[in-house]
Amino acid sequence: MTTPAIPAECKTGARLPRDAADWLGLAASPVFALMAWISAGDASQTPICSSAPGLLPIGGMTWMYLLMSLFHLSPWLKLASRRPRPTT
C-alpha cells in the first residue's frame, strides 16, 4: 500500500501562500497613497533657489507615489466586484 506524499489535512493549506499574496496585493495601494500624502507634506522638497513656485504644490515623488497607488488598485477593484450586490 502506498501513502500519498501530501496528507489530506495539508490539502487545505495549499491555498495559504496565495492568500498571503492576495493580502500583500491589497496592502500596496494604501501604502503608496500614504507615502504620497507624506511626501506631499514634506517641506524639505521646496527648492530654495526657485524664483517661482511650480504649477502644482506637490513634487515629483508625490506624483510617482500617486501613480503607483493607482496602478495597484486592481486587487481592490477585484475585491469590490466579488461582493454580492443588494437586491432592491
Side-chain angles (χ1 to χ4, degrees):
M1 180 171 206
T2 61
T3 51
I6 300 173
E9 300 86 41
C10 293
K11 287 184 181 179
T12 59
R15 178 89 172 115
L16 184 63
R18 183 66 189 145
D19 287 342
D22 289 342
W23 281 108
L24 186 61
L26 286 172
S29 186
V31 167
F32 285 129
L34 177 67
M35 291 169 69
W37 182 53
I38 290 171
S39 67
D42 190 11
S44 66
Q45 288 183 355
T46 41
I48 296 171
C49 299
S50 176
S51 61
L55 180 63
L56 295 174
I58 56 177
M61 290 301 288
T62 305
W63 283 115
M64 183 195 70
Y65 288 136
L66 284 173
L67 284 174
M68 289 175 71
S69 178
L70 288 175
F71 289 141
H72 287 89
L73 262 179
S74 62
W76 285 101
L77 297 174
K78 287 178 188 175
L79 183 68
S81 69
R82 281 189 248 155
R83 292 184 65 191
R85 295 198 171 99
T87 57
T88 56

